[in-house]
Amino acid sequence: MLLAVDVGNTDTVFGLYESGEWSNIWRMRSLAQENEAHYESKLRLHFLEAGLWFGDVETVVLCSVVPDLTPTIQKMLRSLFGDDIIVVGPDIYPALTIAIDHPHEIGADLIANAVAVTSRYKENCVVVDFGTALTFTTVSKDSKILGVAILPGLVTAVKALFANTAQLPEVPLKLPSTAIGRNTTEAIQAGILLGYEGLVKSLLSRIRAELGGECIAVATGGLSSIIETLKDEFVEIDRKLTLDGLRVIGESIRG
């Protein structure tokens, strides 16, 4: 078995891979104020409920974009699985070149996403990750991360609007039928969701133009299916893409 751990700004995702598939995926809130005992008790419960043994896990791969939480999760994993934990960084996967100015600045999750698409496709590719942040990671057909575009994610944008305006409520992320909102909820949904639809299409168009027009796109992240009108922009929508990149990294190191 392989355990992939993706520590994100909102959630920490644990994925257990065995017999060619993700047999179990668990989510926990990413709470930097909690200690390792908090996460260990939750993971123990998940393993117990699934009838699994920690000793059956042969490989553990961790990526994190939350520096304050990384040591806590590392300590918890080492107490359960031993010290041989693979932690994703810019030099972890030699087959992938990170061709940006400061490789250590790139998020470990974006590295995992890039590894996943380079293992599947031999084409220029943009990975659009709909998470707490909305990221566009451009990967060349010869396995180079060329660069990234980052902006607030859908939920982050809605929360920012709600937090900074006295009269606007927090609304559900539901694609509206019209761009002309007839009430406050519809107005926010039109502005955020339809606005982001245009934003994603525009950025993909610009990236493709800079690459000479030959570039596919893959979507991932918990909100990757919210804007249904974008589905034709992507050759694939895979919410487990980051976990699969971690799997590829783990298997390449463990052989």
Side-chain angles (χ1 to χ4, degrees), residues 117-129:
V117 295
T118 58
S119 71
R120 298 181 191 183
Y121 305 101
K122 301 302 178 186
E123 303 179 58
N124 294 334
C125 182
V126 181
V127 182
V128 185
D129 193 333

Side-chain angles (χ1 to χ4, degrees), residues 115-175:
V115 168
V117 295
T118 58
S119 71
R120 298 181 191 183
Y121 305 101
K122 301 302 178 186
E123 303 179 58
N124 294 334
C125 182
V126 181
V127 182
V128 185
D129 193 333
F130 292 81
T132 305
L134 175 59
T135 59
F136 296 71
T137 305
T138 303
V139 187
S140 69
K141 59 186 176 183
D142 55 349
S143 302
K144 292 181 181 178
I145 295 180
L146 301 177
V148 182
I150 305 173
L151 61 147
L154 289 164
V155 170
T156 306
V158 170
K159 287 183 179 296
L161 195 62
F162 169 70
N164 293 288
T165 49
Q167 289 186 294
L168 295 182
E170 194 167 5
V171 302
L173 288 174
K174 180 181 178 182
L175 196 69

Side-chain angles (χ1 to χ4, degrees), residues 38-59:
H38 167 83
Y39 294 98
E40 180 175 334
S41 64
K42 287 183 173 292
L43 191 58
R44 283 186 179 276
L45 181 60
H46 285 309
F47 267 69
L48 180 63
E49 290 176 341
L52 300 169
W53 299 94
F54 292 123
D56 292 333
V57 176
E58 299 172 339
T59 304

